[in-house]
Amino acid sequence: MRWHRPKTTLLGPWRSELGFEVLYWLPWLRRWRNRQRQKIPADRTLAVTRGGASAWYTGTTIDAGRSAELFDYVSVESVRRQSIADSQKQASIKQLAVTAWERSVADLMCKDRGIARYELVHPALMYGELAPWWEGRWGLKDLSEHVIFEPIVAPAVPVTVPLPPKFVVVRFYGRYTWPLTADSVRWAAALVDGLAKQLPVVVLSSGVEADEHIDMKLEGANILNLAPYVTPANNLAIQSAVIAKSQGFVGTYGGTMQLAVALNKPAVGFYSHFEGTAYAHKVLTEWLGVQLKLPVFIGRPDDGRFVQQMLQGSS
């Protein structure tokens, strides 16, 4: 009888939107691992992620035995081209099916690591299972039966990143709901300048242009920019480590704000208009804030001014 080594289960590869990773993919994997833990032990799992986010998978209830960094094997430009191809084929960059590109990357990783046989637990499984939620056919109770929410574990801040003892993190970037117009850039710059007069500000940077998100440049007194310290292979590790040490997050409503909430940090996110994104993501982000007893605000600049005026009037 021929003996076959057990298959290694690859969790991923995740190469898509940060917001979907922290709001859905990680919670879905926690539930999946709970059901499969006896059948698939940790030492037979390999989490495939990017940006140094392995701590989100190996140090939590997902309990991946090993991790692989996508950018150790492919370039940022290669990932960007694949996202563009997805968008042209299915009008979305979401990983709705296993692509030939992903299969070739998995083959390369496994060959490099001496893994003879593997199977994929691909994000398409999550997208298929949770689709009723963002399509508006499920409520929060339905969603909670398919996921497990818990705070993300952040890695330690590298000693090379010089952080002040107390600070707030900021990231404003262009996206569908927050286009970088002259007005939005001017408003965000003034907001950050005002914050920096009260507390040191650390400006997060992705160090990656793998999608349409373009970071807004923010500079000035009492403002530290992380851009010199991040690379494609470590940007999420550094961002999450720095957010976890901060007093809270202020910036564009989107994936980085949702990461802050998942790290159990107060968060304020702004949008100009709400076209181009599902309202379900906003609902879930605010609901998580309630569950974690966190201050979470998502609104337009005018909404923020109104809240400030109300508070000043009541003092």
Side-chain angles (χ1 to χ4, degrees):
M1 174 183 269
R2 181 176 294 178
W3 177 80
H4 291 287
R5 280 184 289 177
K7 288 182 180 178
T8 295
T9 300
L10 272 59
L11 310 178
W14 185 268
R15 57 174 175 80
S16 187
E17 300 150 292
L18 174 60
F20 267 81
E21 184 174 19
V22 299
L23 284 183
Y24 302 113
W25 175 236
L26 292 170
W28 183 87
L29 275 180
R30 292 185 196 111
R31 175 70 71 181
W32 181 88
R33 282 294 287 147
N34 263 14
R35 294 169 177 166
Q36 301 291 331
R37 199 172 305 278
Q38 297 301 318
K39 182 180 175 182
I40 306 173
D43 61 5
R44 281 173 41 205
T45 60
L46 176 70
V48 184
T49 184
R50 75 279 178 262
S54 61
W56 305 354
Y57 296 80
T58 57
T60 68
T61 52
I62 294 172
D63 192 29
R66 292 168 290 171
S67 64
E69 170 59 46
L70 188 61
F71 291 135
D72 285 345
Y73 294 90
V74 297
S75 67
V76 174
E77 182 56 31
S78 178
V79 174
R80 182 177 177 81
R81 285 197 302 268
Q82 185 59 37
S83 295
I84 292 171
D86 287 345
S87 181
Q88 292 172 341
K89 182 178 180 180
Q90 60 191 25
S92 172
I93 64 170
K94 294 173 175 54
Q95 294 170 258
L96 303 179
V98 181
T99 66
W101 182 89
E102 289 170 332
R103 185 66 71 179
S104 67
V105 171
D107 288 345
L108 178 63
M109 287 179 174
C110 288
K111 182 178 180 181
D112 180 58
R113 291 165 177 264
I115 297 172
R117 302 168 69 233
Y118 72 87
E119 61 183 355
L120 290 178
V121 175
H122 188 267
L125 297 171
M126 178 272 294
Y127 281 113
E129 186 172 330
L130 304 187
W133 161 249
W134 47 77
E135 291 173 357
R137 294 184 281 120
W138 276 0
L140 280 163
K141 183 177 183 298
D142 302 301
L143 177 65
S144 64
E145 293 173 356
H146 296 262
V147 294
I148 295 176
F149 292 110
E150 63 181 35
I152 288 175
V153 174
V157 179
V159 295
T160 54
V161 180
L163 293 178
K166 196 174 183 180
F167 61 94
V168 63
V169 290
V170 166
R171 187 183 177 211
F172 279 99
Y173 57 92
R175 56 165 293 166
Y176 295 124
T177 58
W178 184 263
L180 293 182
T181 65
D183 286 343
S184 68
V185 168
R186 190 182 309 112
W187 180 86
L191 174 66
V192 174
D193 183 63
L195 286 172
K197 287 180 170 63
Q198 304 174 54
L199 198 67
V201 169
V202 175
V203 179
L204 302 174
S205 174
S206 69
V208 180
E209 290 186 8
D211 53 29
E212 78 282 3
H213 298 166
I214 305 298
D215 284 337
M216 176 182 162
K217 184 176 291 187
L218 293 163
E219 298 175 328
N222 215 24
I223 296 174
L224 168 68
N225 201 303
L226 284 185
Y229 305 98
V230 299
T231 67
N234 72 13
N235 79 92
L236 290 176
I238 290 180
Q239 287 189 78
S240 59
V242 171
I243 291 171
K245 292 290 186 182
S246 75
Q247 301 302 298
F249 171 90
V250 178
T252 299
Y253 163 68
T256 309
M257 183 216 172
Q258 289 153 348
L259 173 61
V261 174
L263 287 162
N264 209 9
K265 288 294 174 178
V268 177
F270 292 100
Y271 62 89
S272 298
H273 56 82
F274 219 78
E275 292 78 13
T277 189
Y279 194 72
H281 312 325
K282 179 177 182 290
V283 169
L284 181 56
T285 305
E286 292 169 330
W287 180 83
L288 287 172
V290 172
Q291 302 308 303
L292 295 168
K293 297 180 173 58
L294 283 177
V296 172
F297 174 83
I298 300 171
R300 300 163 300 173
D302 284 347
D303 300 333
R305 281 190 284 264
F306 176 76
V307 172
Q308 184 179 34
Q309 289 166 2
M310 290 287 288
L311 291 174
Q312 289 171 344
S314 65
S315 61

